[in-house]
Amino acid sequence: MAKRDMIDDLVDILYPLPGPEDVPDGDEDILDAARDAVIEEREKYEQNLRMAEEHSEDPQFDVLLSEIYAARREMRAAEARMRTLVAYGREFIKPHPYQLKDLAAATGMSISGTRSSYSFEEIAAVVRRIGRQPARLMIALDEDPSTD
């Protein structure tokens, strides 16, 4: 039997093979397809980890710590995406923005946390991406008599 190493363990931890409980009605065809997809992902993941370990310039390279750092980067990216979406829901939806209570429930934050979760940077990012100014600004401009 081949010796297992940390990479084998990480593959098993992060890409577990689905079982009958993971598919509707224990459908064997769906289970086989799901397993095939996971096996392919497992192989890619293992290959990437082994390449990273083998080609690392850092003699202190640690595959587990590297994966933890990667997970942290992914969390930060997901949080940034969530802040941008909240900014969109609050600042760009007309005629009424999403209510803070609904956004708070979706984000898992408090209402006050949701209110302060985004900043001008997220609003500016939405402006750049959709090419439109915030609804509140547009409403204010529509109501401003000096724009007539």
Side-chain angles (χ1 to χ4, degrees):
M1 182 170 157
K3 179 182 171 218
R4 288 186 56 90
D5 64 4
M6 185 182 293
I7 290 176
D8 294 322
D9 292 341
L10 291 174
V11 169
D12 288 343
I13 291 167
L14 297 176
Y15 292 91
L17 289 173
E21 68 280 359
D22 297 319
V23 295
D25 301 322
D27 187 315
E28 286 295 321
D29 292 333
I30 294 174
L31 181 58
D32 288 342
R35 283 185 176 156
D36 289 344
V38 172
I39 287 169
E40 188 175 318
E41 290 299 313
R42 287 169 64 105
E43 289 170 354
K44 288 179 194 173
Y45 178 70
E46 179 181 1
Q47 184 179 25
N48 287 338
L49 288 183
R50 294 204 185 279
M51 292 288 285
E53 185 177 55
E54 183 179 320
H55 293 29
S56 174
E57 302 281 326
D58 181 1
Q60 300 298 317
F61 178 80
D62 184 299
V63 69
L64 175 61
L65 294 178
S66 175
E67 287 304 293
I68 292 171
Y69 283 125
R72 187 165 140 214
R73 282 190 304 275
E74 291 167 12
M75 282 178 23
R76 286 185 174 168
E79 289 168 353
R81 188 174 74 237
M82 188 167 60
R83 287 191 306 272
T84 302
L85 292 170
V86 170
Y88 173 74
R90 286 296 294 166
E91 303 295 333
F92 293 84
I93 303 299
K94 295 192 279 188
H96 304 289
Y98 276 76
Q99 292 185 357
L100 283 168
K101 68 177 183 164
D102 296 328
L103 294 170
T107 62
M109 293 190 281
S110 67
I111 289 174
S112 62
T114 302
R115 179 183 296 115
S116 63
S117 68
Y118 64 94
S119 67
F120 176 77
E121 286 78 23
E122 284 83 18
I123 295 170
V126 174
V127 168
R128 283 190 309 274
R129 293 172 188 173
I130 68 172
R132 197 168 76 233
Q133 293 299 316
R136 293 183 205 196
L137 175 62
M138 297 309 291
I139 291 169
L141 289 175
D142 289 343
E143 294 172 358
D144 184 358
S146 66
T147 61
D148 290 336

